[in-house]
Amino acid sequence: MARRNYIFDTIRSVYALYGFRQIETPAVEYLSTLMGKYGEEGDKLLFKILNSGDFKAGVTPEDYATQGPGKLAARFCEKGLRYDLTVPFARFVVQHRDELQLPFKRFQIQPVWRADRPQKGRYREFYQCDADVVGSNSLLNEVELVQIMDEVFARLGIRVSIKINNRKILSGMAELIGAADKIVEITVAIDKLDKIGLDNVNAELRSAGLTDEQVERLQPIIALEGTNADKLARMHEVLQATESGVKGCEEVAFVLQSLVDAEGHSLLRNEVEFDSTLARGLNYYTGCIFEVKALDVQIGSITGGGRYDNLTGIFGMEGLSGVGISFGADRIYDVLNQLDLYPDTTTTSTRLLFINFGATEAAHCLRLANQVRSAGIPTEVFPDSAKIKKQMSYANANAIPFVALVGENEMQQGVVSLKNMTTGEQQNLTIDEVIAAVRA
Amino acid sequence: MARRNYIFDTIRSVYALYGFRQIETPAVEYLSTLMGKYGEEGDKLLFKILNSGDFKAGVTPEDYATQGPGKLAARFCEKGLRYDLTVPFARFVVQHRDELQLPFKRFQIQPVWRADRPQKGRYREFYQCDADVVGSNSLLNEVELVQIMDEVFARLGIRVSIKINNRKILSGMAELIGAADKIVEITVAIDKLDKIGLDNVNAELRSAGLTDEQVERLQPIIALEGTNADKLARMHEVLQATESGVKGCEEVAFVLQSLVDAEGHSLLRNEVEFDSTLARGLNYYTGCIFEVKALDVQIGSITGGGRYDNLTGIFGMEGLSGVGISFGADRIYDVLNQLDLYPDTTTTSTRLLFINFGATEAAHCLRLANQVRSAGIPTEVFPDSAKIKKQMSYANANAIPFVALVGENEMQQGVVSLKNMTTGEQQNLTIDEVIAAVRA
């Protein structure tokens, strides 16, 4: 939890610095809200909660005998555990539409549940850390979200590349080669370039029904080279006949331009890269899309997001545009572990342990401990007058950096014998000197 | 969330100051872990999760026709949502018995779920904020927990009375009047003194089977008067023939003595009161018990806890003593609301909003906003160049205290026109002056 809190607190404080407000939604949602939002596979992965009381009411033994588990589950259960934070957020926005001041900037850090087979990197309960702005079409929101991603990883000390693309560019590419109806297949195939290589992508494009000529025409814009400006210029040129392609290029250009100052210096500490192969799996994205990759660890995307134009439409509220990002806390946790990037203070809570030499000494130490705590230093008094060795091993096991030994002699002299557990050094100090030493 | 976080953060930081380590446990536990731990009523209030896949497997239509919902639920569901934090903690301790360094001091702030009918002050999902020490019999733990309760409420600005009693005193009382077998009934009746008055308590004691004489003998120790020392001395005297009663008095006396300094001054900022009528409903308590009441609001107990000697026994690990407290976050929320005790900064996140006058100005403001954020001040740039009135009403609705207006003139002069939304005052400042003004 200490390590997880370090990640959550970092993300939370950056979100707050940009004026996002935290909300939480209940773990339990109506299944009518959740079903049909995550595809057929997703529906199967929803945890369903048995109705309280007489859940059998209305389901006859004949129904039971003749209906399948899917249908019966829907009759036995009206509630389920949330699967992500996006759908509950859309439900929240629609429900509170009359109270919300638009644009509404919210962030949400909560667990979600999936009835999956647990395996490495895939859990049945895990945290999502989302931020979204709804009710504003402005690209300044995209700019801000890139800044937020940059700031979070700068604070965590993880070197990353922030990739940006635009769904309209992908539409333009499909339109250009006369395959606008195959936009989904093209997107899915191109998205795999990193993993399977160009030849396999092309094979997949062909098996999706593109002609050799169509695949050929895609080549120069799949694998663009050069600076962001070079790549954008080339893409703009190729796509100039498609309205959507031009719009996409302009949007990306605006975001990139807004991320440099008047002298052309980047406002970011990490690199941002225009990547025309970035597609993002989820089909509800309609504008800019983002993905963040760690430079020093081989792991998938550790953050992603984008603009969607009709998230609340599924709940009957049309025309509300939104843009959001989601930090993958579990993968970030893995990256920080692998690179050993946690600050020392993250895993130490207690800074000072008073050894317990018996009732009289403990009563004295209790008061000294209060003084140290008043200075804001997490402090413990070992509760039992156990063997010194046991108490010392407690300090070691809990990575407590300082131990205070106050026996009869020290009490009489009004001093504390302070032991530095790292260096082994031990010296007699006043309580004020102890506070200064532990704080340093 | 801003208000809830204020409460959680306060509790969290005090727990950490005393060396408690945070853990979280999954929302979902096996029903075999949860069932039978909260009484029959509790079992009914557990949310049960339908088994994934073919939950019908093994339950024939005949079984379905002949078995009741309780029995069938147990066959359809092997998992449920946690009902409190205590049982999952006991499960955690037993599961990790070989890795834990005792004494183990943990705290846990997480939601719990109860399939209750929702009503005021009673929710189906609510937070508990528990701290427990297991593996130490020392009363210094009790002393520390009282200090923690005192510190939390002092920080929150809520004036409270911390009540302390001991289950051994209640046992002594039962033993004294020859009704040791009626300890539960006596405890339950006396616990209601505050709510129903002495006459009704006595009537309940009689209907529980106590004779008039037995009830008579209880009177002097139910309603003790005077200082803590007076009351304890009187109780000690009356119970001197009962081993358990004497032990209970000594334990309370030790805790109270440890809470004053060498000169006899209290270490606490709130009063602590020995209350022989305090019983606490839960029957697993065996030693000191605590309860906190707000002095300025009529509401039930806002924090409670006590010592239990065999929490992990239900999971086959005997003899591990523990002591813990639990803050009632929802009632504390109500008290803070009623007394209007939230600091101003709690509900304001964003301190400064830059008004958007159009693309050129917004680009300029984006850079200025970065400078303000670098100083740690939560800042927004309104994303759309909407009407000024709309932007101003956004600032008001979100309680943003300062608004920066940077139009063409201000850009040319290199200044920011800063408006204080509380006083209405407006002045032209450099960005450094803006930072200073907003920070002040």
Side-chain angles (χ1 to χ4, degrees), chain B residues 164-210:
Chain B
I164 180 172
N165 194 15
N166 196 296
R167 272 293 169 89
K168 294 181 182 120
I169 290 177
L170 296 168
S171 306
M173 286 162 67
E175 200 183 313
L176 176 75
I177 62 167
D181 57 320
K182 297 225 163 56
I183 170 75
V184 173
E185 290 85 349
I186 295 172
T187 307
V188 169
I190 289 181
D191 201 26
K192 297 181 185 162
L193 184 66
D194 248 17
K195 283 181 204 144
I196 63 176
L198 187 59
D199 288 347
N200 290 314
V201 168
N202 287 337
E204 193 165 322
L205 288 170
R206 276 184 215 100
S207 68
L210 293 199

Side-chain angles (χ1 to χ4, degrees), chain A residues 5 22 24 56 127 138 383, chain B residues 5 22 24 67 127 138 383-384:
Chain A
N5 278 341
Q22 189 171 12
E24 288 198 349
K56 291 174 68 180
Y127 272 86
S138 167
Chain B
N5 278 340
Q22 188 170 13
E24 289 198 348
Q67 292 174 0
Y127 272 86
S138 166
D384 307 278

Side-chain angles (χ1 to χ4, degrees), chain A residues 137-210:
Chain A
N137 293 310
S138 167
L139 288 168
L140 290 182
N141 298 300
E142 274 84 339
V143 174
E144 238 178 47
L145 290 172
V146 174
Q147 290 185 290
I148 287 174
M149 292 186 276
D150 177 64
E151 179 75 25
V152 165
F153 290 109
R155 288 189 185 195
L156 292 176
I158 300 175
R159 297 191 322 123
V160 298
S161 167
I162 302 168
K163 293 175 194 302
I164 179 170
N165 193 14
N166 195 297
R167 272 292 168 91
K168 295 182 181 118
I169 291 177
L170 296 168
S171 306
M173 285 162 66
E175 201 182 313
L176 176 76
I177 61 168
D181 57 322
K182 296 226 164 56
I183 170 75
V184 172
E185 290 84 350
I186 295 173
T187 307
V188 169
I190 290 181
D191 200 26
K192 297 181 187 160
L193 184 64
D194 248 16
K195 284 180 205 144
I196 64 176
L198 188 58
D199 288 346
N200 291 314
V201 168
N202 288 338
E204 192 164 322
L205 288 170
R206 277 185 214 100
S207 68
L210 294 198

Side-chain angles (χ1 to χ4, degrees), chain A residues 349-354 365-366 368-382 400 402 404 431 434-435 438, chain B residues 14-20 105 144:
Chain A
S349 47
T350 300
R351 304 280 301 155
L352 176 64
L353 172 73
F354 281 88
C365 288
L366 214 60
L368 294 177
N370 278 340
Q371 286 182 258
V372 183
R373 289 189 190 113
S374 297
I377 298 167
T379 304
E380 290 180 61
V381 178
F382 198 87
I400 302 175
F402 292 94
I431 194 67
V434 166
I435 291 170
V438 172
Chain B
V14 176
Y15 280 157
L17 193 59
Y18 281 79
F20 285 76
K105 301 166 80 172
E144 237 178 49

Side-chain angles (χ1 to χ4, degrees), chain A residues 320-391:
Chain A
L320 197 63
S321 184
V323 57
I325 53 172
S326 183
F327 286 92
D330 297 283
R331 283 190 177 169
I332 292 172
Y333 178 88
D334 289 342
V335 171
L336 288 173
N337 277 338
Q338 203 166 321
L339 300 178
D340 197 15
L341 287 177
Y342 290 100
D344 285 347
T345 50
T346 308
T347 41
T348 15
S349 47
T350 300
R351 304 280 301 155
L352 176 64
L353 172 73
F354 281 88
I355 297 296
N356 188 328
F357 285 99
T360 316
E361 290 87 349
H364 179 69
C365 288
L366 214 60
R367 287 166 201 147
L368 294 177
N370 278 340
Q371 286 182 258
V372 183
R373 289 189 190 113
S374 297
I377 298 167
T379 304
E380 290 180 61
V381 178
F382 198 87
D384 307 277
S385 56
K387 288 197 182 124
I388 305 298
K389 201 183 156 193
K390 194 192 166 192
Q391 299 190 42

Side-chain angles (χ1 to χ4, degrees), chain B residues 2-7 156 329-330 332-347:
Chain B
R3 292 183 167 203
R4 280 226 304 233
N5 278 340
Y6 169 65
I7 298 171
L156 293 174
D330 297 283
I332 292 172
Y333 179 89
D334 289 342
V335 171
L336 289 173
N337 277 338
Q338 202 166 322
L339 301 178
D340 198 16
L341 286 177
Y342 289 100
D344 285 348
T345 49
T346 309
T347 41

